[in-house]
Amino acid sequence: MSSEINKEIGIVDSNVIIYPYNGYGDQDLIRLLIERHKVNAIIHFTDPRYWIWLYQMAAEIRQQVPIFYYHIWDDLPAPHYNRPYYESCDLLMGISKQSDNIARMVMGEGNYVNIDEEVSEEDVCRPIPKTCYIPHGVNETKFFPIDRKDMRVVTMRKQLFGDVDPKFVLFYNNRNVRRKMTSDAIIAFKLFHDDMMSSGCNDDVRFVLHTQPQDEHGTDLEAVIQTLCPDIADKILITNTRLSTEDLNILYNCCDTVINIGSNEGWGLSSTEALMTGRTLINNVTGGLQDQCRFEDEDGNWIKFTPEIATNHTGQYTKCGDWVYPIFPSSINLQGSIPTPYIFDDRCDIREVGKAIKYWYKTTPEYRKECGLKGREWATGDEAGFTSQKMADRAHKAIERVLSVWTPPKRFHIYNTQQEVEKRKNKQTGLGIRL
């Protein structure tokens, strides 16, 4: 790994070590790693429930090194049940605007320092979590537009479609799990196809899904297609072959529009890869997918989430980038479990999804290319910064700033529990729900 990293980024002294582990680690392993490698900080990411064992030893760890969390949360209401996890960290790097705002809402005003804003070094030195927004990045030199006449694209399209050269290809690249709404995307494609055929259009479309045909956390897609879409089964292709980054980039370039309608989506990586390859998008307006739509506020600025406006899934703002057809959820339902008592499920109407597919189908290849390139230009620019280099630069800046002033917190605090309960009640900033 070290030699590959050195080759990739042009340095000579990287030292990358992977410890294979079935799971997310344990307390003894962390103690061993801190001692063996003299680490400066611990960085972790994904759902905090995988790291409860880490937070349980946060007081011990933070006497030696800080804990940094590249955090993600899919949806409102603000998860106040996550507060102990957020408070166990020294730096919270939000993967999306919504995730970043949610962490601040949960901790409450005065209990964090937003280092994206102009703040004094005195504030940065305060022993409370620091927050910032660091969107997910993709290497734009690995994912990029390729001309449709390029032999790499021609060859792969031949492998996919045989002698047919479809006018329009829809692409889905997600895992086959319930929250990704894979079956909904298939049924929406059928609705689009039926409407198109009734209008007398040529039968020149395909839907490519790069996913597992069956998944215990999803469904049997082949059964869905054969039973509910038998008349267009030959127009829906499922590819489950593991692809190199190069081949995945070619696959994106074989298609026209990428669909991502998950009902809970912390970021939506396939949409970012689509932006980098100059593809147009169909996005559900939820979670991190909102970031990639670039919704504008009344002043033409990229929207900023606050406790008062914590999401745009209700459609307060509709103007967005030319590269995306956004679909606002028609149903916002409250789901939950014992560890996560409440979270919204933002579901699209499949008929609206069908209309979105038809919209991009009706446009010309030239227009789709123009819109897609606008998306790539914005995604690689300074405002969005959805590149791996900009992601790394932002993370480096935030980590260095916190490391430069970090000191171990007090070993323990003494609280009047009743006063603390009342104080926390008063400082909660709500759940972010608006009617």
Side-chain angles (χ1 to χ4, degrees):
M1 286 295 296
S2 298
S3 61
E4 287 300 311
I5 293 294
N6 287 339
K7 186 191 306 180
E8 176 73 22
I9 61 177
I11 60 176
V12 297
D13 59 350
S14 69
N15 184 19
V16 181
I17 302 173
I18 294 178
Y19 282 77
Y21 194 91
N22 185 21
Y24 284 77
D26 59 51
Q27 295 186 351
D28 289 337
L29 178 61
I30 288 295
R31 293 186 181 105
L32 172 67
L33 296 178
I34 291 175
E35 175 62 28
R36 176 177 294 175
H37 298 291
K38 309 301 180 185
V39 301
N40 296 104
I42 291 174
I43 303 177
H44 64 296
F45 48 90
T46 200
D47 190 317
R49 251 139 298 281
Y50 293 114
W51 301 104
I52 292 174
W53 61 269
L54 180 70
Y55 303 132
Q56 288 171 341
M57 61 186 302
E60 171 191 343
I61 291 173
R62 294 171 71 202
Q63 288 304 303
Q64 305 169 76
V65 298
I67 297 177
F68 301 154
Y69 182 18
Y70 189 43
H71 78 100
I72 185 169
W73 198 251
D74 290 352
D75 213 336
L76 295 173
H80 288 283
Y81 44 82
N82 283 351
R83 179 167 181 158
Y85 311 142
Y86 297 158
E87 291 180 336
S88 298
C89 303
D90 297 281
L91 174 62
L92 295 164
M93 299 173 282
I95 196 173
S96 69
K97 286 175 174 279
Q98 182 172 271
S99 294
D100 183 34
N101 181 57
I102 276 175
R104 297 196 297 271
M105 291 173 63
V106 167
M107 289 184 290
E109 194 67 35
N111 295 318
Y112 64 85
V113 175
N114 182 4
I115 57 175
D116 279 335
E117 299 177 347
E118 291 294 330
V119 292
S120 66
E121 286 306 302
E122 182 180 357
D123 281 336
V124 178
C125 291
R126 294 175 61 196
I128 55 178
K130 315 305 181 294
T131 70
C132 61
Y133 170 49
I134 302 178
H136 200 308
V138 168
N139 190 332
E140 75 276 21
T141 68
K142 302 291 186 181
F143 289 92
F144 53 87
I146 306 175
D147 188 88
R148 187 60 58 88
K149 296 179 181 179
D150 187 291
M151 282 307 299
R152 293 171 293 177
V153 176
V154 171
T155 301
M156 185 173 286
R157 280 176 66 93
K158 182 76 172 178
Q159 293 170 349
L160 291 169
F161 312 124
D163 294 332
V164 177
D165 185 23
K167 169 186 173 182
F168 179 82
V169 180
L170 183 68
F171 185 43
Y172 172 97
N173 181 23
N174 277 308
R175 188 180 168 193
N176 172 19
V177 294
R178 195 212 67 81
R179 70 180 179 87
K180 298 291 188 177
M181 311 308 291
T182 318
S183 297
D184 280 27
I186 291 171
I187 298 303
F189 179 76
K190 175 171 172 53
L191 293 177
F192 150 73
H193 184 272
D194 291 348
D195 177 61
M196 180 187 67
M197 293 301 289
S198 67
S199 303
C201 296
N202 293 326
D203 191 10
D204 54 0
V205 297
R206 294 294 184 273
F207 187 11
V208 177
L209 297 98
H210 187 55
T211 190
Q212 308 91 332
Q214 296 178 325
D215 193 297
E216 62 178 334
H217 300 292
T219 188
D220 184 342
L221 298 180
E222 291 175 339
V224 171
I225 295 167
Q226 293 299 329
T227 306
L228 303 180
C229 315
D231 55 324
I232 61 168
D234 61 330
K235 297 174 180 59
I236 303 175
L237 295 79
I238 299 177
T239 168
N240 192 31
T241 306
R242 286 187 177 274
L243 298 176
S244 65
T245 302
E246 180 182 0
D247 284 340
L248 183 57
N249 180 54
I250 296 171
L251 182 54
Y252 274 105
N253 279 278
C254 287
C255 305
D256 296 282
T257 296
V258 174
I259 185 170
N260 207 332
I261 56 169
S263 60
N264 290 122
E265 188 57 81
W267 179 250
L269 183 57
S270 64
S271 290
T272 321
E273 292 171 345
L275 282 171
M276 291 300 170
T277 55
R279 304 305 97 183
T280 53
L281 304 178
I282 297 172
N283 274 2
N284 185 17
V285 183
T286 189
L289 290 174
Q290 300 175 88
D291 290 27
Q292 301 176 69
C293 297
R294 199 200 180 275
F295 287 105
E296 293 183 7
D297 62 18
E298 298 88 349
D299 300 320
N301 299 316
W302 191 15
I303 60 172
K304 179 180 179 181
F305 290 141
T306 65
E308 293 72 35
I309 303 176
T311 181
N312 193 41
H313 66 183
T314 55
Q316 178 163 351
Y317 300 107
T318 57
K319 187 176 181 181
C320 62
D322 293 339
W323 53 87
V324 62
Y325 188 115
I327 304 175
F328 295 94
S330 62
S331 173
I332 300 174
N333 301 312
L334 197 64
Q335 305 291 329
S337 64
I338 299 301
T340 56
Y342 53 84
I343 187 170
F344 280 142
D345 197 45
D346 296 335
R347 300 193 64 151
C348 294
D349 185 329
I350 54 176
R351 293 164 295 187
E352 293 301 315
V353 180
K355 292 177 183 177
I357 301 171
K358 183 178 180 180
Y359 169 82
W360 285 120
Y361 170 79
K362 287 287 190 180
T363 60
T364 65
E366 293 76 19
Y367 180 73
R368 289 193 294 269
K369 180 178 180 180
E370 177 186 341
C371 291
L373 291 178
K374 284 183 181 178
R376 176 179 166 86
E377 182 180 7
W378 174 72
T380 57
D382 291 336
E383 182 181 67
F386 297 163
T387 69
S388 53
Q389 185 62 58
K390 286 185 168 63
M391 174 185 174
D393 290 343
R394 288 167 170 171
H396 177 263
K397 179 180 178 182
I399 290 169
E400 282 290 326
R401 187 168 191 191
V402 174
L403 274 178
S404 68
V405 298
W406 182 82
T407 56
K410 293 180 180 179
R411 291 181 62 86
F412 59 86
H413 299 269
I414 298 176
Y415 296 99
N416 180 318
T417 55
Q418 188 56 43
Q419 288 181 357
E420 186 64 20
V421 167
E422 293 301 319
K423 181 175 73 173
R424 293 197 174 200
K425 282 182 179 179
N426 293 334
K427 285 196 173 183
Q428 278 192 0
T429 56
L431 300 176
I433 304 172
R434 302 183 76 213
L435 296 178

